[in-house]
């Protein structure tokens, strides 16, 4: 009976395992199968053949080796990373030891990504509900204070070796490893030094993972933040898995966060096993710097008529900041066509945004070629700029560790240790201080605020990446942008900085209504954010705010790119937190693309809301650059671009718009903005003032014409007439009020 069950299990395993995992070489590997009918673990030897599935292709940094461990004390992690040498384009030859190892590319079950539900996680005990088993997820973050419902780990109620954290995989799963991490807290240090792994098919009978003839002891953590991988000596098929701590930090308690690595065993008779990925034929994998360059070149080769690659600068280590332009006329600003940008990878370890931007490049290319009218319209009417990696140095650091081992902050900062998210000039407080000191606040500039002198010094702590992006912003008249981050599920909008740098305070802009609209557009179309039954990522419930929040109300960020973009240029920008998992496994990328695809497209389409037009000189018909476009009741102006064209994002409504430029009389007109995502054309023609015309004539050394002198005299007399009329009107009003006051007294 035992032999027949083993044979049946082996058949199930052979028939379906290859659809869930990639095997990188042909080798004979021992796999354990746990069977309910026997108290021992049956061992089966199977021949594993190479099988490739694009949707589960991990990065080289994520390939795990199954090893036979000889040490009897600790089973340490063993990771192999296949690195391709840039020189000669050859792969580094594997050692003889590596050739003997079988690589099982099993993805995480999804504790960090929340694919594993809270109901699938149990524990022997818990200190309190806020430290329950549902908090034992890799990289989960706690709130500022301990003791609430959202602490930073699972913590057992007792300090003994009988404690465990259990995960139900729901289906038979080939378990290959465990990733362990300590407790996230600023108040205490708690982590597990060593642990055992137990497996079961019924959650009643458990078998401890063996290292030869002894129970395997896995090495855990030496601090609270660094993830450590423990690889099972022999991959084992089961349904349940337990982590059983053996030793822990002497001054702490039994606390841990974890991820489980495993491949679901295919069952041909299980109708619930469906492909939850994407139908779009895109390159779903993590791309390091060299792979990203090759990928972008391949997109340009496929769609040369609508794409262009250019660089805006270099990182500290010399990696180029590549941008993909997508337009029907790449390389040129077309009059009246708005400029859009997506920026990803500001924090290098927040890798999802990088891959989504690369996916978007490929998607727009393929759909444009297919004649997808929505995409054709976007490409034709919009000049799109995509920067997939603002912090390539940080990304390369995180990439070396891989998706499960990079932790929460590995690669977040630039090579110099700078947080690029707060490395821009703080223009907010410059404006607020000027308003506070001014007698008339309306005279204080509310836009195009210049960069302060201290920021331009050579010794200023400004990263080369930030300098490059600022120069990019000033060169191109961007209208709309989004900054793609990760680690939460929310869209935040300016201001990010609060008055006086208060820790949390709602700090709206003059365009608060439109910013809220932009944030809502993305959040409401994101499949995860829009799900009312989704679990909190960490400890903040953004669903009470409909998954959007003012940046300052969340946490103050002086010197953010969003605020700088709004106050120094014409561009409106929001921050999108794309996923609970900053660096999702490659197998998650198709799902994440589907979650964000519609949001990425519909957000770009919002660039065509509001009004747009061209400001021209009445005499020459040439465009006027740097003209100020002021919308009544909106205390934030914008300016026209070099060719005189402008774009002002506005919600539907009627608006009084005044345009003026130096040396011209101002012009006013009323503009209507409809409900459709199509900008209303509001062109303006400005007439030069006589003084300006006189300056130009004198500058050219020409003779002042007689009719111009008469026109000048006429203008002066008209100005005097208006002034005297104003005085007379004021006098009449005063007399009328005096008469009414006398009548009131007489009554």
């Amino acid at each position: 009976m035992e032999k027949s069950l083993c044979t049946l299990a082996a058949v199930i395993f052979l028939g379906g395992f290859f659809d869930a995992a990639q095997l990188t070489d042909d080798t004979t590997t021992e796999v354990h199968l746990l069977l309910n009918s026997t108290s021992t673990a049956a061992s089966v030897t199977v021949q594993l053949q190479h099988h490739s599935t694009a949707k589960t292709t991990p990065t080289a940094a994520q390939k795990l080796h199954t090893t036979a461990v000889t040490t009897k004390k600790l089973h340490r992690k063993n990771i192999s990373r296949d690195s391709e040498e840039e020189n000669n384009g050859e792969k580094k030859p594997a050692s003889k030891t590596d050739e003997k190892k079988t690589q099982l590319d099993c993805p995480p079950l999804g504790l960090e990504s929340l694919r594993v539900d809270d109901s699938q996680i149990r524990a022997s005990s818990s200190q309190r509900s806020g430290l329950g088993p549902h908090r034992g997820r890799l990289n989960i973050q706690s709130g500022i204070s301990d003791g609430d419902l959202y602490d930073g780990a699972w913590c057992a109620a007792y300090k003994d070796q009988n404690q465990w954290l259990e995960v139900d995989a729901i289906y038979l799963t080939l378990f290959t490893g465990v990733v362990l991490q300590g407790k996230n807290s600023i108040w205490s240090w708690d982590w597990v030094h060593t642990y055992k792994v137990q497996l079961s098919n019924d959650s009643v009978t458990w078998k401890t993972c063996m290292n030869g003839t002894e129970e395997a002891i896995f090495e855990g953590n030496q601090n609270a933040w660094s993830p450590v991988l423990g690889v099972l000596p022999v991959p084992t098929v089961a349904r349940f898995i337990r982590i059983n701590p053996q030793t822990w930090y002497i001054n702490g308690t039994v606390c841990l966060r974890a991820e489980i690595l495993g491949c679901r065993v295919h069952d041909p008779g299980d109708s619930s096993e469906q492909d939850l990925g994407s139908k779009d034929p895109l390159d779903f994998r993590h791309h390091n710097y060299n792979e990203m360059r090759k990928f972008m070149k391949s997109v340009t080769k496929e769609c040369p008529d609508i794409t262009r690659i250019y660089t805006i600068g270099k990182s500290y280590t010399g990696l180029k900041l590549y941008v993909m332009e997508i337009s029907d006329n790449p390389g040129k600003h077309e009059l009246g066509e708005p400029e859009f940008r997506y920026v990803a990878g500001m924090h290098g370890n927040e890798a999802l945004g990088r891959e989504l931007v690369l996916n978007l490049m490929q998607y727009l290319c393929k759909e444009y070629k297919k004649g997808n009218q929505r995409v054709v319209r976007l490409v034709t009417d919009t000049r799109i700029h995509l920067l997939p990696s603002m912090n390539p140095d940080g990304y390369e650091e995180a990439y070396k560790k891989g998706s499960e081992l990079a932790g929460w902050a590995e690669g977040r900062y630039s090579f110099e240790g700078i947080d690029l998210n707060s490395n821009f000039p703080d223009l907010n407080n410059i404006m607020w201080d000027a308003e506070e000191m001014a007698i008339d606040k309306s005279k204080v500039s509310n836009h195009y605020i210049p960069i302060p002198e201290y920021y331009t010094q050579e010794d200023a702590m400004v990263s080369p990446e930030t300098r490059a992006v600022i120069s990019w912003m000033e060169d191109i008249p961007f209208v709309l942008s989004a900054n793609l981050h990760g680690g939460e599920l929310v869209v935040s909008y300016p201001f990010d900085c609060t008055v006086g740098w208060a820790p949390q305070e709602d700090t709206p802009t003059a365009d608060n209504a439109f910013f809220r609209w932009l944030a809502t557009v993305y959040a409401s179309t994101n499949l995860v954010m829009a799900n009312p039954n989704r679990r909190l990522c960490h400890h903040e419930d953004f669903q009470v705010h409909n998954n959007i929040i003012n940046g300052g109300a969340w946490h103050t960020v002086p010197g953010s790119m969003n605020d700088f973009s709004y106050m120094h240029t014409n561009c409106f920008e929001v921050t999108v937190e794309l996923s609970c998992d900053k660096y999702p496994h490659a197998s998650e990328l198709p799902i994440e693309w589907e979650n964000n695809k519609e949001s990425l497209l519909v957000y770009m389409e919002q660039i065509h809301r509001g009004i747009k037009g061209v400001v021209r000189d009445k005499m020459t018909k040439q465009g006027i650059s740097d003209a100020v476009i002021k919308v009544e009741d909106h205390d934030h102006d914008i300016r026209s671009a070099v060719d005189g064209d402008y774009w002002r994002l506005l919600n539907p409504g009627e608006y009084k718009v005044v345009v003026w430029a130096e040396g011209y009389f101002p012009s006013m007109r009323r503009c209507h903005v409809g409900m459709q995502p199509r900008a209303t054309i509001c062109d303006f023609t400005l007439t030069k003032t006589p003084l300006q015309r006189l300056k130009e004539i004198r500058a050219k050394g020409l003779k002042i014409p007689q009719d111009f002198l008469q026109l000048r005299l006429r203008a002066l007399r008209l100005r005097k007439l208006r002034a005297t009329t104003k005085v007379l009107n004021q006098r009449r009003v005063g007399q009328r009020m005096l008469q009414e006051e006398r009548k009131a007294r007489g009554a």
Side-chain angles (χ1 to χ4, degrees):
M1 180 64 180
E2 180 177 340
K3 184 176 180 181
S4 62
L5 287 174
C6 288
T7 304
L8 175 61
V11 170
I12 294 174
F13 171 74
L14 285 172
F17 164 64
F18 301 125
D19 288 333
Q22 282 193 332
L23 304 175
T24 58
D25 53 15
D26 296 343
T27 186
T28 300
T29 300
E30 186 182 14
V31 178
H32 277 178
L33 299 158
L34 295 185
L35 305 173
N36 292 332
S37 60
T38 178
S39 60
T40 61
S43 178
V44 188
T45 300
V46 295
Q47 188 75 16
L48 303 180
Q49 302 295 329
H50 177 79
H51 181 77
S52 177
T53 306
K55 294 178 181 176
T56 58
T57 303
T59 65
Q62 297 160 337
K63 294 181 179 178
L64 308 179
H65 281 243
T66 307
T67 62
V69 183
T70 57
T71 175
K72 295 184 179 180
K73 292 183 179 180
L74 296 176
H75 183 68
R76 299 177 180 272
K77 68 177 182 178
N78 189 348
I79 308 172
S80 171
R81 186 169 186 266
D82 296 331
S83 59
E84 183 174 343
E85 297 295 324
E86 191 67 9
N87 299 331
N88 302 325
E90 296 179 356
K91 289 189 176 180
K92 193 175 182 179
S95 66
K96 293 182 179 180
T97 305
D98 289 339
E99 290 175 354
K100 294 179 181 178
K101 298 175 182 177
T102 304
Q103 299 176 348
L104 299 179
D105 302 331
C106 284
L109 292 191
L111 275 76
E112 182 179 11
S113 67
L114 305 184
R115 194 167 66 251
V116 173
D117 190 72
D118 286 349
S119 62
Q120 294 173 242
I121 313 173
R122 295 197 310 140
S124 54
S125 64
S126 301
Q127 288 184 16
R128 56 178 179 271
S129 58
L131 293 168
H134 64 292
R135 303 297 294 176
R137 299 173 181 271
L138 186 69
N139 286 323
I140 202 164
Q141 302 295 295
S142 67
I144 295 297
S145 27
D146 281 353
D148 58 14
L149 295 176
Y150 306 106
D151 272 335
W154 161 69
C155 292
Y158 310 102
K159 294 184 182 182
D160 61 45
Q161 295 181 336
N162 298 319
Q163 305 307 306
W164 44 261
L165 180 72
E166 176 186 316
V167 178
D168 178 5
I170 304 297
Y171 308 99
L172 281 179
T173 301
L174 179 73
F175 292 110
T176 60
V178 172
V179 180
L180 212 65
Q181 193 178 35
K183 178 185 177 184
N184 173 247
S185 173
I186 61 174
W187 307 108
S188 64
W189 283 12
D190 304 279
W191 58 81
V192 169
H193 280 312
T194 61
Y195 62 97
K196 295 180 181 179
V197 173
Q198 299 172 335
L199 300 160
S200 173
N201 274 345
D202 56 9
S203 192
V204 176
T205 303
W206 291 88
K207 286 297 173 183
T208 302
C209 181
M210 302 298 291
N211 178 19
T213 59
E214 297 184 357
E215 293 183 343
I217 304 294
F218 294 85
E219 181 177 340
N221 304 105
Q222 298 300 317
N223 58 50
W225 52 88
S226 300
V228 174
L229 171 65
V231 180
L232 272 61
V234 180
T236 306
V237 175
R239 172 175 168 176
F240 300 90
I241 185 169
R242 278 183 180 177
I243 301 170
N244 174 215
Q246 297 297 296
T247 61
W248 43 90
Y249 178 55
I250 189 170
N251 293 325
T253 57
V254 181
C255 295
L256 62 86
R257 293 175 286 170
E259 182 60 88
I260 307 298
L261 305 182
C263 299
R264 179 178 172 181
V265 176
H266 175 63
D267 182 357
D270 186 358
S271 59
S272 66
E273 190 172 347
Q274 299 176 349
D275 182 12
L276 300 178
S278 173
K279 294 182 180 179
D280 293 325
L282 306 180
D283 187 10
F284 293 118
R285 61 192 175 97
H286 288 289
H287 300 75
N288 64 14
Y289 177 75
N290 291 325
E291 292 166 341
M292 181 187 73
R293 289 197 312 171
K294 294 175 183 176
F295 174 85
M296 293 176 70
K297 289 179 180 178
S298 70
V299 173
T300 300
K301 185 177 180 181
E302 185 176 356
C303 295
D305 295 335
I306 62 167
T307 61
R308 177 177 73 100
I309 299 174
Y310 64 97
T311 63
I312 61 173
K314 293 182 179 181
S315 70
Y316 184 85
T317 65
L319 301 183
K320 293 181 179 179
L321 305 183
Y322 286 104
V323 178
M324 169 77 77
E325 178 192 344
I326 300 179
S327 169
D328 62 337
N329 193 3
K332 180 182 179 182
H333 171 73
E334 298 181 69
L335 188 69
E337 184 169 287
E339 311 258 359
F340 179 92
R341 72 170 182 259
Y342 272 130
V343 176
M346 171 179 272
H347 292 147
N349 63 329
E350 296 169 13
L352 178 57
R354 174 191 182 105
E355 297 309 322
L356 287 178
V357 169
L358 294 177
N359 293 154
L360 183 61
M361 295 176 190
Q362 193 175 25
Y363 176 82
L364 292 176
C365 168
K366 291 181 178 296
E367 293 301 308
Y368 183 87
K369 291 176 65 177
K370 289 180 183 178
N372 181 324
Q373 287 304 299
R374 183 185 190 184
V375 172
V376 170
R377 187 164 53 250
L378 257 178
V379 173
T380 303
D381 298 342
T382 318
R383 192 179 179 207
I384 302 166
H385 304 260
L386 305 176
L387 172 61
S389 186
M390 180 179 169
N391 181 8
D393 293 345
Y395 177 81
E396 292 300 299
E397 183 181 350
Y399 182 84
K400 291 175 184 177
K401 294 290 185 71
S403 61
E404 312 321 311
L405 300 179
W408 188 250
E410 189 87 26
R412 173 185 175 89
Y413 305 104
S414 71
F415 186 86
E416 300 171 276
I418 297 174
D419 187 342
L420 302 183
N421 198 35
S422 55
N423 195 224
F424 288 78
D426 176 11
L427 304 182
N428 305 54
N429 283 287
I430 292 176
M431 182 184 73
W432 293 331
D433 290 346
E435 288 178 344
E436 188 174 340
M437 296 174 62
I439 298 174
D440 184 0
K441 291 185 178 181
S442 64
K443 301 297 183 181
V444 177
S445 178
N446 59 26
H447 71 294
Y448 270 45
I449 297 174
I451 296 174
E453 182 67 25
Y454 75 86
Y455 194 86
T456 61
Q457 301 295 328
E458 289 186 10
D459 59 349
M461 196 61 175
V462 184
S463 74
E465 297 89 346
T466 305
R467 294 177 187 271
V469 170
I470 289 176
S471 178
W472 185 39
M473 289 179 173
E474 293 179 334
D475 288 344
I476 298 177
F478 290 112
V479 180
L480 182 61
S481 172
N483 185 6
L484 306 183
H485 285 247
E488 258 298 351
L489 281 166
V490 68
V491 183
S492 68
Y493 52 90
F495 285 125
D496 292 328
C497 184
T498 58
V499 179
W501 293 7
Q504 287 181 311
E505 184 179 350
D506 187 45
T507 313
T509 66
D511 290 282
N512 191 56
F514 194 81
F515 271 118
R516 287 180 60 83
W517 166 258
L518 288 174
T520 300
V521 163
Y522 199 102
S524 63
T525 54
N526 181 279
L527 299 185
V528 181
M529 292 188 203
N531 180 7
N533 299 317
R534 73 172 177 87
R535 185 191 184 282
L536 302 187
C537 285
H538 301 287
H539 57 88
E540 295 179 275
D541 186 3
F542 292 109
Q543 287 186 297
V544 299
H545 307 293
N546 295 317
N547 302 301
I548 68 171
I549 192 169
N550 174 263
W554 185 9
H555 55 266
T556 186
V557 182
S560 77
M561 186 166 71
N562 290 6
D563 288 1
F564 177 81
S565 179
Y566 181 68
M567 304 189 76
H568 188 69
T569 74
N570 292 335
C571 187
F572 288 30
E573 181 173 278
V574 302
T575 292
V576 183
E577 300 286 347
L578 296 162
S579 171
C580 301
D581 189 349
K582 288 185 175 183
Y583 195 153
H585 188 269
S587 61
E588 299 278 354
L589 294 180
I591 301 172
E592 293 291 0
W593 166 250
E594 289 300 320
N595 290 339
N596 288 277
K597 178 171 69 173
E598 177 60 24
S599 304
L600 291 168
L601 294 173
V602 74
Y603 184 82
M604 285 194 290
E605 291 170 338
Q606 304 315 301
I607 200 171
H608 297 287
R609 290 193 178 274
I611 61 175
K612 71 174 185 178
V614 181
V615 182
R616 290 186 171 91
D617 183 292
K618 185 177 181 180
M619 297 290 292
T620 65
K621 306 303 180 184
Q622 296 296 313
I624 301 173
S625 65
D626 218 28
V628 177
I629 293 87
K630 184 176 184 62
V631 179
E632 190 177 50
D633 298 327
H634 284 66
D635 194 19
H636 181 79
D637 306 335
I638 64 164
R639 300 203 178 205
S640 60
V642 174
D643 297 328
D645 45 353
Y646 78 92
W647 306 263
R648 183 55 165 99
L649 299 175
L650 293 166
N651 281 325
E654 296 285 340
Y655 298 95
K656 177 183 175 181
V657 184
V658 177
V659 174
W660 63 273
E662 186 176 353
Y664 290 87
F665 288 115
S667 177
M668 187 276 289
R669 62 177 296 185
R670 296 190 178 275
C671 304
H672 171 79
V673 177
M675 299 295 292
Q676 300 80 11
R678 185 173 59 251
T680 300
I681 305 296
C682 273
D683 293 329
F684 288 86
T685 301
L686 302 186
T687 302
K688 286 180 181 176
T689 63
L691 181 59
Q692 179 65 24
R693 290 182 61 192
L694 183 61
K695 287 180 180 179
E696 292 177 357
I697 290 172
R698 286 174 174 171
K700 294 177 181 178
L702 302 177
K703 184 178 179 181
I704 300 174
Q706 187 67 26
D707 61 339
F708 180 80
L709 293 175
Q710 293 177 354
L711 184 63
R712 174 67 174 159
L713 180 62
R714 178 184 175 186
L716 291 173
R717 289 175 177 173
L718 181 60
R719 184 184 302 173
K720 184 177 180 180
L721 177 64
R722 287 173 176 169
T724 55
T725 302
K726 184 177 181 180
V727 172
L728 290 173
N729 287 339
Q730 290 175 345
R731 189 179 300 169
R732 291 193 185 104
V733 170
Q735 291 174 349
R736 192 180 302 114
M737 291 177 62
L738 184 61
Q739 291 175 359
E740 291 176 353
E741 185 178 346
R742 288 174 179 173
K743 288 181 181 179
R745 289 177 181 176

